[in-house]
Amino acid sequence: MPEEQDRALKFEEVFHESRKNGKNYLLAIGIDNYLHCPKLKNAVKDAAAFIELMTKRFQFKEEHVSGLFDAEATRKNMINVFRDLAKKITVDDNLLVYFSGHGHYDEVFDEGHWIPVDAKLEEEDEYFSYNKLITIIRAIKSHHTFLIVDSCYSGSVFVGGDRSSVSERLERDPSRWLFASGRNEVVSDGSPEGNSPFAEQLLSALERYSGEGISASSLINKVVTATSYNSKQTPIGRALQDVGDQGGEFIFRPKLDEAYDWKRAKKAHKPDAYRIFIHTYPNGKHTEEAAWAIASLKNTAIAYDDYLAVYPSGKYAEIALEKQGHSEEEDFWNRCKKAYSISQYRSYLIKYPEGRYKLKAEQEIQTMKAYGDQEREAWQSAQDGHTIETYTFYLQNFPQGPHAGIAREEIRRIEDEKKARKERKRLADLEAKRKEEENKRRQREAEERQRAEQKRKSDEAAQKRKEEEARKKAEQQKNTPSTQSNEKKGSGNFWTDLVSGFVEGYAEAQKKNIPPQNTNPQGLYSKQLNLAGNWRGNDGGLYQLTQQGNNVYFRGFNGYGVVMSQGQGVLNGYQLTLTVQYPNGVTANAQLSISANGRQMQGTVANMYGSTAISLWR
């Protein structure tokens, strides 16, 4: 027999009448061996452990349990098993779903998914979306539906809405809840020798529970606290909106053991404990004894009559009748004491001439005659006022009066009630403060989420602006004219333009009477050439040249503004020698001849693979 702290019924709790019982259905899905996603270690183990716990300790029958593991957990099979459940589950039944595997969050459509075993990465149309899951929940007409999801981004189903939990739910009201292992975040799979952090705390909370039944919200509170303290993820659970929730909660009820529960009821020995026992075992071996225990503890005519109404020929029927008579006499005597009049005490003596309170009634009559009307009026006034002041006034005038003891007792009772009210107010104030702090915390979290979302959108907008500016800049560079607007354009034939440039340059030098400075191979004279600027190549590229004396540096861009080559070289007259480097590590040497007007270049680029002709102009 297990220890008391591990059993089901917790008789110290206030008894609540539960609804009509239906069937409890369980669907568990666990996936470790993904075909296209990283494999997990504990998903199948966690789902199997959950099934074992539900069927052994709680009220789930094996014939109402379904499981999809690894290769079975395709999207098609998931939909089919949900369809079968929707056909068989009635409004009196409950559905519990446990999913353990990979999850995905689609930022474009703001939607979370379960990833089936055969789905490909980033192929969202192959995933099992939360929108599909919500559609299924609406279709299943269960009394309670409770989903427990241990996957990344499982809390994304709550994005965009918030709903505060209610501290006390009634089992008879329908509910639709989801408990996620994390918010819109990545969650841990755990070490190979254990469970995931979420599953470890979930299974532990259910195994340790020793009450009559643990509600969804109570379980969530326990698991959230323990998981947050022991890992870097924060589970979240609450009712789902717009799917049929009516304020109820699923209750995990342990399996029953009448012998053990009767032992617990007798040890508690309170009416509520016996009432829970009778409700749980209406036709049990000890049900009549429990009903008699309730009547004996209450010891009233009504309580004994309740027993006799159910067991008119029961084991305790004769004793109940006798005690019922005594109880009626007791009730009549209490009414006489409360009235405190000679006529009432005399009526007791007439009705019960040999009653248990015969001598007391005769004494009260003699006392009232001795003290007279003044004491009776003072006592009546004290009772009417029923305050510390009125009872104190009576004691000051009749310290030895027949009601002095009752007056002192009433004063103590009133003082205790004041203390109790003060304590209740203190506790209520503390609870109000706690709720206020909780509301502030939730508001801060909402504001933080809003700021994070605004920052994300701002960063995205800034990135888009940068990309657009880069695109426009590349487009402008691509469309930049090869010469200034006032410069003469080439004919399109390089050698024609080259000869023309030499002639024009020579003529311009003679016109300006410029003395020779550098001699080119053709024997023409010119100033030191300035090659800095943008050059367009016959390969479609754009080349930016800078110059310091005879040293020339360049970078080559493709049509999209991406650097494709760079290097440096030496200008000697009208000959330019360059060393070229490419992103793939290949180097080359370029020999270029420059036209007399300094606007065209012609030559070759040679590397390890051979030589290529190139021409540039500006």
Side-chain angles (χ1 to χ4, degrees), residues 187-324:
V187 299
S188 173
D189 183 36
S191 60
E193 63 274 7
N195 302 102
S196 75
F198 173 76
E200 179 180 357
Q201 301 303 331
L202 174 70
L203 296 172
S204 176
L206 288 168
E207 287 171 351
R208 293 197 312 267
Y209 187 72
S210 61
E212 178 191 359
I214 182 170
S215 65
S217 59
S218 296
L219 176 65
I220 288 169
N221 290 335
K222 293 176 184 293
V223 177
V224 168
T225 301
T227 305
S228 300
Y229 284 162
N230 292 280
S231 66
K232 295 182 179 180
Q233 63 193 70
T234 305
I236 179 174
R238 57 175 177 253
L240 295 170
Q241 294 183 352
D242 303 325
V243 290
D245 182 82
Q246 297 182 24
E249 288 187 24
F250 178 76
I251 305 295
F252 290 84
R253 294 199 176 278
K255 290 187 174 179
L256 305 177
D257 183 338
E258 182 180 0
Y260 180 77
D261 290 338
W262 175 240
K263 178 182 176 182
R264 292 289 313 283
K266 288 197 298 182
K267 184 175 181 179
H269 198 56
K270 293 180 180 179
D272 282 343
Y274 290 116
R275 257 202 312 273
I276 292 174
F277 181 87
I278 293 172
H279 178 81
T280 307
Y281 306 99
N283 300 312
K285 180 179 177 181
H286 304 284
T287 304
E288 180 184 356
E289 194 170 349
W292 173 247
I294 294 173
S296 299
L297 286 169
K298 290 193 169 184
N299 195 30
T300 63
I302 294 176
Y304 291 120
D305 192 67
D306 288 341
Y307 169 82
L308 290 169
V310 180
Y311 303 100
S313 302
K315 181 179 177 181
Y316 305 97
E318 292 184 6
I319 302 174
L321 286 170
E322 181 181 351
K323 288 185 173 291
Q324 188 177 38

Side-chain angles (χ1 to χ4, degrees), residues 48-245:
F50 188 79
I51 289 177
E52 182 179 8
L53 180 62
M54 291 298 103
T55 54
K56 287 187 176 181
R57 179 169 169 78
F58 293 90
Q59 296 179 12
F60 285 82
K61 296 182 179 180
E62 293 184 0
E63 58 265 30
H64 298 148
V65 175
S66 304
L68 295 175
F69 299 103
D70 282 340
E72 301 172 331
T74 63
R75 186 177 188 275
K76 179 179 179 180
N77 286 347
M78 290 181 190
I79 294 175
N80 287 339
V81 74
F82 274 121
R83 180 175 284 108
D84 291 341
L85 289 170
K87 292 177 180 178
K88 68 176 66 171
I89 290 177
T90 69
V91 293
D92 290 326
D93 300 330
N94 303 315
L95 172 61
L96 181 60
V97 179
Y98 185 95
F99 176 83
S100 182
H102 277 306
H104 171 76
Y105 178 65
D106 186 343
E107 294 184 356
V108 176
F109 293 120
D110 189 20
E111 182 180 26
H113 302 80
W114 294 350
I115 301 183
V117 65
D118 55 345
K120 299 180 182 65
L121 279 175
E122 304 302 330
E123 294 292 337
E124 283 84 355
D125 58 335
E126 297 182 4
Y127 296 169
F128 192 90
S129 71
Y130 276 108
N131 283 339
K132 181 66 175 179
L133 184 61
I134 292 299
T135 300
I136 290 171
I137 293 172
R138 290 195 181 105
I140 297 177
K141 306 304 181 183
S142 61
H143 187 73
H144 294 298
T145 295
F146 187 27
L147 299 100
I148 301 176
V149 182
D150 189 3
S151 71
C152 297
Y153 310 106
S154 50
S156 62
V157 70
F158 298 121
V159 172
D162 190 11
R163 176 173 174 175
S164 302
S165 61
V166 180
S167 61
E168 183 178 5
R169 304 279 192 181
L170 298 179
E171 188 179 11
R172 66 173 179 266
D173 294 332
S175 70
R176 303 289 184 270
W177 281 58
L178 185 144
F179 187 20
S181 60
R183 296 171 184 265
N184 197 8
E185 60 185 342
V186 176
V187 299
S188 173
D189 183 36
S191 60
E193 63 274 7
N195 302 102
S196 75
F198 173 76
E200 179 180 357
Q201 301 303 331
L202 174 70
L203 296 172
S204 176
L206 288 168
E207 287 171 351
R208 293 197 312 267
Y209 187 72
S210 61
E212 178 191 359
I214 182 170
S215 65
S217 59
S218 296
L219 176 65
I220 288 169
N221 290 335
K222 293 176 184 293
V223 177
V224 168
T225 301
T227 305
S228 300
Y229 284 162
N230 292 280
S231 66
K232 295 182 179 180
Q233 63 193 70
T234 305
I236 179 174
R238 57 175 177 253
L240 295 170
Q241 294 183 352
D242 303 325
V243 290
D245 182 82

Side-chain angles (χ1 to χ4, degrees), residues 458-497:
S458 177
D459 292 344
E460 289 180 354
Q463 182 63 26
K464 288 181 179 178
R465 287 197 299 271
K466 289 182 180 179
E467 294 174 355
E468 181 65 19
E469 291 173 359
R471 187 190 64 78
K472 289 181 178 179
K473 184 175 180 181
E475 187 69 21
Q476 290 175 355
Q477 291 175 346
K478 181 178 179 180
N479 297 327
T480 301
S482 59
T483 62
Q484 300 292 336
S485 59
N486 59 348
E487 292 181 336
K488 182 178 179 180
K489 296 184 179 179
S491 65
N493 183 288
F494 172 77
W495 294 109
T496 301
D497 291 343

